[in-house]
Amino acid sequence: MATVHLRIGDLVWGKLGRYPPWPGKVVSPPKDLKKPRGKKCHFVKFFGTEDHAWIKVEQLKPYHAHKEEMIKINKGKRFQQAVDAVEDFLKKAKGKEQNSDGKGDSKGKKTPSKPLKILEEDDEDLSALKDPSEKLVKDDPHFHHFLLSQSEKPAPSMEPISKRLKIIEEDSGSTSIQAADSTAINGSITPTDKRIGFLGLGLMGSGIVANLLKLGHVVTVWNRTAEKCDLFIQEGARLGRTPGEVASTCDITFSCVSDPKAARDLVLGPSGVLQGIRPGKCYVEMSTVDPETITELSKVITSRGGRFLEAPVAGSQQLSNDGMLVILAAGDRTVYEDCSSCFQAMGKTSFFLGEAGNAARMMLILNMVQGSFMATIAEGLTLAQATGQSQQTFLDILCQGQMASTFVDQKCQNILQGNFKPDYYLKHIQKDLRLAISMGDMANHPTPMAAAANEVYKRAKALDQSDNDISAVYRAYIH
């Protein structure tokens, strides 16, 4: 295969991991951003997204020569929007050339064409059709990636992240750390110099660790099934032999496991986290558990001089991969601040909710609502079928109304296609419903909708749907 010679300003198709080739433009990287070692690569700015990335030469193709080929194999709506953005850019560039070069040879002589203008960071052409939920490059572990803001002008320099954040005070006393435009950051994340540990590489943890590594954090990983660590070791992570060893060698240790028992065992079990806690060590519990478990873990960690923060995440496997989780934190505020670059790497926003236990309460309420809603949507789909109505038409109508959302569209389409690959395990949402109902009992507050939904999920679990996606609750209505 002949070598492709590219220059700054060239339009290209860039291939990243499992994603389809995407239209972009070779641009100059920020001065502070070093080129990855190894094979030759170019810095590419993608059309129709918020993304930049270093792309290996063998993953790049000239735009015009391969345009028809790429359009034939890619049919998605956002892909077409990106192609349209390229064409708009070309038209504008051509118009500018004509305005500057064609003032006029009245005899019709052609003036030499000039190369296309290289876009600067504040140029509007590539910012068209941005969709912050579409993170095409962030899921690939091989490339450094950073987000641009949707504001009109970028930050003048890649300054420390704390200078680009805003704190939003709320009536409830909670605070939220976000990017200045609430969706993305102007420039790259400056990773903390603290050593990060991460325990648990499941659906959520894997995406979180991938994003921490991609954005330059030093991460030590541990997982009960050691083989899951291999991919991350290849991408630069260090391997911890036990949870206790990770906690002792790292400044901040995160954990993300399945339930309260697993969270307790990780801390209190043989060779557990508690064995590695020393004064000043930080432990961040990201699992969705009950407030009582958080209180217990907080006490034992702080009893050893450690600092404790809970930080459960709202989202799914896809949002975890995309770095678009919502983090709910509570406990030691100084730990929350120390974790700012980590939270920016894994999520689109994070909230500080006060004393330990508050984040667990809020997360259970959120998941209670989500689980109950999913059960109701599944009930509607099956009732439509039972009464002779088209399920697809039901979905089409639903997605044109006030309840329209990406969540509804994706889950319902997966149901209609019989695709129940887990994005969030059904067994976990049932666990969260159960914990939310228990929390309601302790507060003497009724939770009849959650209780009804919980029974439906229990029925789905009895039908062997535990390890499927939460949308598999649909099967509880058809068996």
Side-chain angles (χ1 to χ4, degrees), residues 451-472:
N454 187 45
E455 294 302 315
V456 182
Y457 282 96
K458 285 163 62 177
R459 168 66 175 160
K461 287 178 65 178
L463 293 169
D464 201 26
Q465 302 300 310
S466 291
D467 292 323
N468 282 334
D469 187 68
I470 64 171
S471 55

Side-chain angles (χ1 to χ4, degrees), residues 110-161:
K110 291 185 178 179
T111 54
S113 62
K114 295 182 179 180
L116 295 177
K117 180 175 78 73
I118 298 172
L119 286 181
E120 301 297 334
E121 293 297 329
D122 59 348
D123 205 302
E124 295 178 355
D125 294 298
L126 285 184
S127 63
L129 301 173
K130 291 177 181 176
D131 183 349
S133 68
E134 187 73 5
K135 299 297 170 193
L136 291 171
V137 300
K138 201 170 182 185
D139 194 16
D140 189 275
H142 299 286
F143 306 101
H144 183 85
H145 161 73
F146 65 87
L147 302 174
L148 292 177
S149 82
Q150 297 183 64
S151 57
E152 293 182 1
K153 293 186 179 180
S157 64
M158 298 170 69
E159 57 195 13
I161 194 154

Side-chain angles (χ1 to χ4, degrees), residues 54-65:
W54 287 105
I55 311 293
K56 295 177 183 178
V57 168
E58 58 266 31
Q59 300 296 332
L60 292 170
K61 293 183 178 181
Y63 177 80
H64 294 289

Side-chain angles (χ1 to χ4, degrees), residues 426-437:
L426 183 143
K427 62 185 177 184
H428 289 169
I429 203 72
Q430 191 274 320
K431 173 260 299 182
D432 296 342
L433 282 164
R434 173 173 53 81
L435 294 176
I437 293 166

